[in-house]
Amino acid sequence: MPAPRPAPDPEPSKGPSHEATEECGPRRRLVILGTCCMSLLIVSLDTTVLNVALPSIRKDLHTTVAGMQWTIDAYTLVIASLLMLAGSTADRIGRRRVFKTGLVVFTIGSALCSVAPSLELLVVFRMVQAVGGSMLNPVAMSIITNTFTEPRERARAIGIWGGVVGISMAAGPLIGGLLVETVGWRAIFLINVPVGITAFILTWRYVPESRAAKPRRPDPVGQLLVMATLGAVTYAIIEAPTAGWTSPLILSFAGAAALALTGLILYEPRRDEPLIDLRFFRSAPFSGATIIAVCAFGALGGFLFMNTLYLQNVRNLSPLEAGLYILPMAAPALVCAPLSGRLVGSYGARVPLLIAGTTLAASGLMFAVFEAETRLGLLIVGYMLFGVGFGMVNAPITNTAVSGMPLSQSGVAAAVASTSRQIGTTLGVAVIGAVLAAGAAGAATHRGGIGDEAFADASRPAWWIITGLGLSVLVVGALTSGEWARGTARRNAERLDPPAVPGSP
């Protein structure tokens, strides 16, 4: 039986992509969801797989802790900078078109990473990957929200989507460890190539084109200000332990970040169609979802980076053994992510957010107060608590971010949520890495890594940071998931997309 032909591009004047959605039966919707999840899988895998490979990359390319941070943050930083541009561009010229372009660029970038001869070129090729990755997740989420229009069905689809993050966390360390030990760290990038090609073919055959009825115009000034803000603050945090927190270089980048952020805040409200519509943040659930995303993914980025160094450089575990140690964290995330989606669909975002904040904070306390890393039983419990918290937090973030917005702005709203995740990961790696580097400065090293005592001393404030991030998820989740918060979302949606007057064209 021949594969269905893609739906024709909708006319911009016909409004949101309901005509594409109506043509998608249950079977085709599942294929679309699976294709979108494949894109999330390869983008998410590149973080968890790479973390396990960091010590091998450090040894092979003769880099430092800061160099390892850049292999992660160059990727997340570019994605964070371009996500909103990708979301608005997809709303304007076609989501399917942008999604296919992202798959091609990401696949090419992955192939280039696998042959990078130096750290500098690896960082550059990671940035190429990120350009493609920025076109995948927010656009895929917009495709999902336009395909699954019934709220309960959409929440469950988003739960499955969130479960893919759990799959990447569970499979990433094992796949990465196995590949690093048997083939080498370069193989971790090659696994993206067949997945990217398969997702491209499925997108070409099954995903219908869709556009927003009233897409935003390009905002190059806002885009440059976003990139300047994120780039400058990340550079300052990562390089400060080496250059000195009060050095002219770091102070210059910190000042540039502050100026760019101030310019962004002053410039965007003056535009009729800004890159970042600050009116979105009048919705308490949307603002809460943004803050929670930064905190939760900041905790995740710091957790993975810190534990990779601990397990391989301090405990002297092999990459595969380190991957097995991460399983007690990854497995609960895999189980809890779809469960969280069902809870959101049945009871709203409040319950999973409270569970997430409580367990993330408890995990941080296990290490900060009870030194869980010194005893295997406590270590496993701490990892499991973190996995439960992270598994619970992803679905309510996404659902809350897009559910209160008009369909015509779903791409931009999803992009803001995805941007918040990437900003959180970027800052988590930068801050936790800076804390570790500063704490271990001048201490004896252990086989080229951070020494046992220096790592233990440096990790304590890092675990307190993760505890604080968990508490922030708990408090913000409680404040922005009640009836008052839902009322602000309804009123804001009416302002953003007022109902048509009866009898009007």
Side-chain angles (χ1 to χ4, degrees):
M1 179 178 178
R5 296 178 60 83
D9 289 1
E11 295 294 333
S13 61
K14 290 182 181 180
S17 56
H18 295 298
E19 69 280 359
T21 301
E22 291 168 359
E23 295 179 6
C24 295
R27 183 177 177 182
R28 190 175 182 187
R29 288 202 300 271
L30 288 177
V31 174
I32 292 172
L33 177 60
T35 304
C36 292
C37 287
M38 288 175 68
S39 73
L40 176 62
L41 180 63
I42 56 177
V43 174
S44 300
L45 270 177
D46 251 50
T47 300
T48 54
V49 170
L50 183 63
N51 267 279
V52 176
L54 284 177
S56 298
I57 294 174
R58 180 182 186 183
K59 182 179 179 180
D60 192 21
L61 300 183
H62 311 289
T63 184
T64 61
V65 172
M68 289 190 291
Q69 288 174 273
W70 278 118
T71 61
I72 297 175
D73 274 355
Y75 177 77
T76 56
L77 180 61
V78 171
I79 287 184
S81 299
L82 298 179
L83 278 172
M84 284 177 285
L85 174 63
S88 59
T89 301
D91 284 345
R92 184 171 59 255
I93 70 172
R95 295 166 183 134
R96 177 173 173 265
R97 181 181 301 173
V98 171
F99 191 68
K100 289 195 301 181
T101 303
L103 287 169
V104 171
V105 175
F106 186 88
T107 302
I108 292 174
S110 297
L112 290 173
C113 287
S114 71
V115 296
S118 65
L119 175 70
E120 292 76 15
L121 283 177
L122 177 61
V123 170
V124 171
F125 295 152
R126 288 281 286 168
M127 295 171 72
V128 174
Q129 262 191 315
V131 172
S134 69
M135 304 180 199
L136 298 181
N137 286 2
V139 181
M141 178 52 60
S142 185
I143 291 171
I144 289 174
T145 56
N146 279 269
T147 301
F148 297 87
T149 55
E150 196 275 320
R152 189 179 297 269
E153 186 183 41
R154 178 190 295 172
R156 290 176 178 173
I158 291 174
I160 295 173
W161 163 270
V164 174
V165 178
I167 293 173
S168 72
M169 291 175 62
L174 289 177
I175 293 173
L178 183 61
L179 289 175
V180 170
E181 286 197 17
T182 58
V183 182
W185 63 265
R186 298 179 186 278
I188 66 176
F189 297 107
L190 284 176
I191 63 174
N192 295 328
V193 175
V195 179
I197 293 173
T198 302
F200 179 87
I201 293 173
L202 291 174
T203 302
W204 173 61
R205 289 188 173 183
Y206 293 102
V207 176
E209 185 61 282
S210 62
R211 296 187 181 97
K214 298 177 181 178
R216 296 171 183 272
R217 293 196 300 266
D219 181 9
V221 174
Q223 181 63 54
L224 289 174
L225 289 172
V226 168
M227 295 175 68
T229 301
L230 297 178
V233 73
T234 302
Y235 184 91
I237 293 173
I238 289 179
E239 298 297 333
T242 301
W245 288 95
T246 57
S247 67
L249 177 67
I250 300 305
L251 292 177
S252 296
F253 273 89
L259 287 175
L261 178 61
T262 302
L264 185 69
I265 294 173
L266 295 176
Y267 174 77
E268 289 298 279
R270 298 175 180 272
R271 283 184 56 87
D272 293 333
E273 297 179 357
L275 177 70
I276 305 174
D277 193 336
L278 299 183
R279 294 178 301 171
F280 282 7
F281 296 94
R282 296 175 183 172
S283 165
F286 183 87
S287 298
T290 303
I291 296 171
I292 290 168
V294 172
C295 293
F297 279 77
L300 175 68
F303 179 95
L304 291 176
F305 186 82
M306 181 165 54
N307 278 281
T308 294
L309 296 181
Y310 170 70
L311 294 173
Q312 295 191 51
N313 288 3
V314 178
R315 288 211 167 193
N316 297 317
L317 299 178
S318 69
L320 181 57
E321 290 171 332
L324 290 171
Y325 260 75
I326 296 292
L327 272 182
M329 184 272 288
L334 174 63
V335 173
C336 290
L339 174 61
S340 177
R342 288 185 174 274
L343 288 174
V344 171
S346 300
Y347 304 105
R350 190 178 188 86
V351 173
L353 286 177
L354 295 181
I355 295 173
T358 301
T359 50
L360 287 173
S363 174
L365 284 174
M366 291 286 292
F367 291 91
V369 176
F370 300 104
E371 299 183 352
E373 63 267 43
T374 62
R375 283 166 283 183
L376 181 60
L378 290 180
L379 179 75
I380 292 175
V381 172
Y383 280 9
M384 291 180 68
L385 286 171
F386 192 94
V388 170
F390 186 75
M392 281 288 176
V393 81
N394 206 33
I397 288 174
T398 304
N399 190 73
T400 302
V402 301
S403 61
M405 298 295 164
L407 275 179
S408 61
Q409 302 299 337
S410 62
V412 178
V416 172
S418 296
T419 299
S420 302
R421 292 181 175 91
Q422 298 298 333
I423 290 173
T425 302
T426 301
L427 295 179
V429 172
V431 172
I432 296 299
V435 168
L436 290 175
T445 59
H446 184 80
R447 295 188 180 182
I450 302 173
D452 292 21
E453 293 183 3
F455 190 95
D457 291 340
S459 66
R460 213 62 61 225
W463 283 115
W464 278 115
I465 291 172
I466 290 177
T467 302
L469 293 173
L471 289 174
S472 298
V473 172
L474 176 63
V475 173
V476 175
L479 292 175
T480 60
S481 59
E483 183 56 38
W484 164 80
R486 289 191 291 271
T488 67
R490 288 192 295 269
R491 291 189 293 273
N492 197 50
E494 292 174 357
R495 284 192 294 264
L496 291 171
D497 192 19
V501 177
S504 63

